[in-house]
Amino acid sequence: NFKNKDEFVNWATKYSIQYGEEHEFSDTVPIGGVIRYSHNAGDIIKNGDAVKVYISNGKKVDVPSVYKLSKNKATNILQNAGFKVSYAYSSSRDIAEGHVVRQSPVEGSTVSSGSTITISLIITVIIIIKVITIIIIIILHLLLHVIRVLRKHL
């Protein structure tokens, strides 16, 4: 028996044995660990046979819905369920600022424990306008600086 997938791959390569890989969920084997093989130790492998190694995707978890929840509440729910959380931002007139407008993967999807769920949070149009205004002001200041420098050299 092999301790891990790398040992198996090294053995198969050394003896020119064809192999395939399949992934499935496991409550007992951590992500990336070997669950089982298509052949048992001591089995005779004929020319042309391929040994299949079954690799764990980790524990199977259903993604909960965090739609319309606040950032903090959504983050807590997802982290307590074993997920990592990333954020994206969007605008909407129907949902309050700082609340979730969409998530990926979507509610009910089956994923591995520890997967990253991206939640899109609402920022108001006023905030977007303020950010754009600040960017425009910075660009104008840079242009004025360039004009001053050019005037000195002309």
Side-chain angles (χ1 to χ4, degrees):
N1 283 346
F2 305 98
K3 294 177 186 169
N4 56 47
K5 178 187 163 192
D6 290 338
E7 275 189 16
F8 168 77
V9 169
N10 289 338
W11 170 80
T13 303
K14 179 178 178 182
Y15 293 104
S16 300
I17 295 173
Q18 294 179 4
Y19 65 92
E21 186 175 308
E22 195 167 306
H23 292 259
E24 58 187 46
F25 293 106
S26 172
D27 290 339
T28 57
V29 179
I31 293 175
V34 175
I35 300 170
R36 67 181 184 285
Y37 303 93
S38 60
H39 292 69
N40 295 317
D43 284 354
I44 295 174
I45 300 171
K46 300 173 191 166
N47 280 345
D49 282 355
V51 176
K52 190 177 287 185
V53 59
Y54 294 85
I55 306 298
S56 175
N57 283 337
K59 187 177 179 183
K60 178 173 146 178
V61 183
D62 291 332
V63 177
S65 174
V66 292
Y67 181 64
K68 291 189 177 182
L69 297 180
S70 70
K71 177 183 179 180
N72 289 341
K73 191 167 189 175
T75 299
N76 287 336
I77 288 171
L78 293 170
Q79 287 177 339
N80 289 337
F83 297 109
K84 297 173 189 152
V85 182
S86 68
Y87 305 99
Y89 297 92
S90 186
S91 62
S92 172
R93 293 183 177 159
D94 301 328
I95 299 175
E97 181 179 351
H99 288 69
V100 178
V101 68
R102 79 182 61 84
Q103 66 186 70
S104 178
V106 297
E107 166 194 2
S109 298
T110 301
V111 297
S112 300
S113 179
S115 295
T116 299
I117 307 299
T118 301
I119 56 176
S120 294
L121 301 163
I122 296 302
I123 57 173
T124 62
V125 175
I126 294 170
I127 292 174
I128 295 170
I129 292 171
K130 285 180 182 178
V131 170
I132 291 171
T133 303
I134 290 170
I135 291 170
I136 291 171
I137 290 170
I138 291 169
I139 291 171
L140 288 174
H141 280 283
L142 288 172
L143 286 172
L144 286 173
H145 178 73
V146 168
I147 291 169
R148 287 183 191 129
V149 169
L150 287 174
R151 280 186 179 169
K152 286 181 183 179
H153 293 294
L154 294 177

